[in-house]
């Protein structure tokens, strides 16, 4: 009887070999390849788990053999599962936070997990200088974040994480350095006001007083730099308290423009914030301006941008002209963006000079660039030859743009029929009732004004109903439209008779 379970064991060893051949068929399955290793020489932990699995079929086999020996060879379902392999080591282990009694660590899951999945993680610690590793979690940790609690302040601990699955423990991933357990105060944080998150613009001579609050415990160490270099204390004053830092400039100059960076530091933690300060003033005049051309009553001007833009963008130019006789300046164009312009509508026989001002967000330049030469509008005879235009032929056959609509009216109530027609020459309008020309019948009033044709039927009777037609005719053709008029008896009158 003890010899009967042996074939079942051999079948169990052959079964993984078949799975080895079939396993490479799916592309994303790297796990089955290393399966022979546990079969030849598995780790001690894997053998300990595999032994009970093999022993169970061995003990169950005699019970089945007592009933019927052939029946034990037929079922293949109870064959033991193939041995699994541990996952690869977890990734990216680092300290997220710490205080005087706990350390919070986070990591990423292993790159290779396997078909049986991942059961969890074991977090182990030991004091620096020893190799006495101890697990700090009784149950496997499912998530990739863990808080190691109840630590002693001042200890230096080495920390590592091991992934566990059915194949056993993975290689550990450890922090590169030991972690010092100590009290960490509030991390510093600069709370830059919203209006300083964009470029802060001020005018030359303005007093600048900017307050930037921050948090941190104990009192953070505050430092300032300008464009990456220490501040000039002769120009900029810094006053810091436990809660804020003040940047003060008594009278700003253009050299005070730049990127100011504030850094607050508490032990190994620090926070930085930067603000851009721009000191602007009125721009200088354009570098040069000249008269490019003169023709008729027009003068073309060209100029170049100013060499000094006032530390901000040029937003436009103002062009002025002056008659040599009077010398009075008049603005021709303002807020003009191009570097050339044409001055028109000048007076014949007059001599003009021109000047151009620059403009930025501070205003118009105090000085202007003036043309070195003058422009004279010559008196010249002009021979006007009217162009030859071919007269347009407006001739058109009559065409109704609005048709007549069927209508109904009541005996004794006047009604009006309307339509519109166009055509050139002006078409002649005729109204017809039941294909008979109405003519000058006083019962009907015919009016045609600017193509609007109307026929008024005065107090229609029972015999005034029928088909009314409007016909328009000229030398190029004719056109007609028709409608049906229905004359009804009044309902109230019938009720009174009854």
């Amino acid at each position: 009887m003890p010899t009967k379970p042996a074939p079942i064991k051999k079948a169990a060893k052959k079964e993984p070999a078949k799975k080895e051949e079939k396993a490479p068929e799916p592309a994303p399955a790297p796990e089955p390849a290393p399966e022979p290793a546990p079969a030849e020489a598995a780790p001690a932990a894997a053998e300990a788990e595999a032994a009970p699995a093999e022993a169970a079929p061995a003990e169950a086999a005699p019970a089945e053999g007592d009933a019927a020996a052939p029946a034990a060879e037929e079922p293949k379902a109870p064959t033991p599962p193939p041995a699994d392999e541990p996952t690869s080591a977890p990734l990216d282990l680092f300290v997220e936070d710490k205080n005087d009694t706990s350390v919070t660590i986070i990591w990423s899951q292993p790159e290779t997990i396997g078909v049986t999945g991942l059961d969890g993680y074991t977090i182990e610690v030991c004091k620096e200088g020893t190799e006495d590793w101890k697990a700090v979690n009784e149950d496997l940790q499912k998530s990739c974040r863990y808080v190691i609690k109840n630590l002693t302040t001042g200890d230096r601990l080495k920390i590592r994480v091991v992934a566990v699955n059915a194949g056993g423990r993975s290689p550990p991933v450890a922090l590169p350095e030991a972690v010092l357990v100590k009290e960490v105060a509030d991390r510093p944080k600069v709370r830059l006001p919203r209006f300083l998150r964009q470029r802060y613009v001020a005018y030359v001579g303005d007093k600048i007083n900017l307050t930037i609050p921050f948090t941190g415990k104990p009192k953070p160490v505050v430092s300032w730099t300008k464009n990456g270099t220490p501040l000039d204390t002769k120009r900029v004053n810094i006053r810091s308290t436990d809660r804020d830092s003040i940047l003060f400039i008594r009278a700003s100059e253009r050299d005070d423009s730049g990127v100011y960076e504030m850094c607050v530091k508490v032990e190994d933690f620090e926070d930085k914030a930067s603000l851009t300060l721009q000191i602007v003033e009125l721009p200088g005049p354009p570098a040069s301006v000249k008269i490019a051309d003169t023709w008729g009553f027009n003068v073309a001007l060209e100029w170049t941008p100013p060499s000094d833009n006032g530390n901000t963008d040029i937003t436009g130019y103002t062009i002025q002209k002056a008659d040599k006789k009077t010398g009075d300046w008049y603005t021709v164009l303002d807020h003009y963006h191009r570097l050339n312009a044409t001055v028109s509508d000048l007076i014949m026989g007059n001599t003009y000079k021109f000047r151009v001002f620059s403009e930025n967000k501070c205003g118009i330049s105090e000085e202007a660039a003036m043309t070195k030469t003058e422009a004279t509008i010559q008196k010249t005879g002009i021979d006007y030859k009217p162009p030859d235009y071919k007269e347009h032929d407006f001739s058109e056959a009559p065409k109704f743009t609005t048709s007549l609509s069927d209508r109904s009216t009541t005996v004794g109530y006047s009604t009006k029929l309307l339509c519109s027609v166009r055509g050139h020459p002006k078409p002649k309008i005729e109204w017809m009732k039941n294909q008979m020309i109405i003519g000058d019948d006083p019962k009907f009033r015919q009016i045609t004004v600017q193509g609007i044709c109307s026929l008024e039927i005065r107090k229609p009777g029972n015999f005034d109903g029928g088909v009314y037609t409007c016909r328009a005719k000229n030398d190029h053709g004719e056109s007609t439209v028709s409608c049906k008029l229905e004359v009804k008896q009044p309902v109230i009158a019938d009720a009174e008779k009854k």
Side-chain angles (χ1 to χ4, degrees), residues 263-282:
C263 176
V264 290
K265 188 173 183 180
V266 176
E267 297 180 357
D268 296 336
F269 301 98
E270 65 177 22
D271 189 27
K272 296 181 179 180
S274 60
L275 61 95
T276 302
L277 187 62
Q278 183 178 2
I279 310 300
V280 300
E281 62 181 344
L282 293 175

Side-chain angles (χ1 to χ4, degrees), residues 182-225:
K182 67 173 184 177
E183 181 180 3
V184 177
D186 293 339
R187 293 189 179 189
K189 178 66 176 177
V190 180
R191 304 191 178 279
L192 193 66
R194 185 180 297 274
F195 73 95
L196 292 178
R197 296 176 189 174
Q198 298 178 349
R199 186 183 302 270
Y200 184 82
V201 180
Y203 300 120
V204 171
D206 286 355
K207 181 172 67 175
I208 297 176
N209 192 342
L210 303 178
T211 302
I212 296 91
F214 59 82
T215 57
K217 185 180 179 182
K219 179 182 177 180
V221 178
V222 182
S223 60
W224 284 84
T225 60

Side-chain angles (χ1 to χ4, degrees), residues 281-299:
E281 62 181 344
L282 293 175
S288 63
V289 59
K290 65 178 182 178
I291 298 175
D293 194 9
T294 302
W295 74 99
F297 304 99
N298 310 295
V299 172

Side-chain angles (χ1 to χ4, degrees), residues 55 59 70 90 96 142 153 277 290 306 317 340 362 379 435 457 471 498:
E59 294 174 5
E96 182 186 40
K142 300 296 183 181
T153 303
L277 187 62
K290 65 178 182 178
Y317 299 92
N340 53 72
C362 297
K379 294 182 179 180
Q435 303 301 321
I457 307 170
R471 180 169 62 188
K498 293 180 180 181

Side-chain angles (χ1 to χ4, degrees), residues 295-298 346-349 377-386:
W295 74 99
F297 304 99
N298 310 295
L346 300 177
I347 299 174
M348 183 183 297
I377 308 302
Q378 300 293 336
K379 294 182 179 180
T380 57
I382 299 176
D383 296 333
Y384 177 72
K385 295 181 179 180

Side-chain angles (χ1 to χ4, degrees), residues 268-478:
D268 296 336
F269 301 98
E270 65 177 22
D271 189 27
K272 296 181 179 180
S274 60
L275 61 95
T276 302
L277 187 62
Q278 183 178 2
I279 310 300
V280 300
E281 62 181 344
L282 293 175
S288 63
V289 59
K290 65 178 182 178
I291 298 175
D293 194 9
T294 302
W295 74 99
F297 304 99
N298 310 295
V299 172
L301 301 176
E302 293 180 356
W303 59 91
T304 55
S307 56
D308 180 11
N309 60 1
N311 201 30
T312 185
D313 295 335
I314 297 296
T315 58
Y317 299 92
T318 297
I319 299 95
Q320 294 183 344
K321 68 177 180 179
D323 187 351
K324 188 176 181 180
K325 295 179 180 178
T326 62
D328 297 332
W329 290 98
Y330 296 94
T331 299
V332 179
L333 297 170
D334 57 355
H335 310 302
Y336 190 76
H337 298 283
R338 298 182 181 179
L339 295 176
N340 53 72
T342 300
V343 182
S344 304
D345 300 330
L346 300 177
I347 299 174
M348 183 183 297
N350 287 1
T351 300
Y352 293 91
K353 52 185 177 180
F354 303 89
R355 66 183 182 183
V356 180
F357 293 86
S358 304
E359 182 179 357
N360 65 7
K361 63 174 60 179
C362 297
I364 298 177
S365 60
E366 296 179 351
E367 298 179 358
M370 190 177 300
T371 56
K372 296 180 180 180
T373 59
E374 299 174 343
T376 302
I377 308 302
Q378 300 293 336
K379 294 182 179 180
T380 57
I382 299 176
D383 296 333
Y384 177 72
K385 295 181 179 180
D388 296 333
Y389 293 105
K390 184 179 179 181
E391 186 175 355
H392 182 70
D393 185 10
F394 292 95
S395 299
E396 182 184 7
K399 180 180 178 181
F400 283 93
T401 57
T402 304
S403 301
L404 293 172
S405 301
D406 293 343
R407 301 197 53 165
S408 62
T409 186
T410 306
V411 173
Y413 289 87
S414 299
T415 187
K416 185 180 292 187
L417 305 178
L418 292 171
C419 62
S420 61
V421 67
R422 72 181 186 187
H424 189 81
K426 183 178 178 181
K428 179 182 179 182
I429 306 300
E430 290 181 339
W431 287 91
M432 295 181 291
K433 174 186 174 185
N434 298 329
Q435 303 301 321
M436 300 294 293
I437 297 176
I438 294 176
D440 297 331
D441 190 339
K443 188 176 185 63
F444 301 94
R445 186 183 180 191
Q446 307 175 37
I447 300 175
T448 301
V449 178
Q450 295 185 356
I452 307 299
C453 307
S454 65
L455 176 66
E456 182 182 357
I457 307 170
R458 300 174 177 174
K459 295 183 179 181
N462 294 330
F463 301 101
D464 290 328
V467 177
Y468 286 83
T469 304
C470 181
R471 180 169 62 188
K473 183 191 302 183
N474 66 4
D475 296 339
H476 301 282
E478 67 176 45

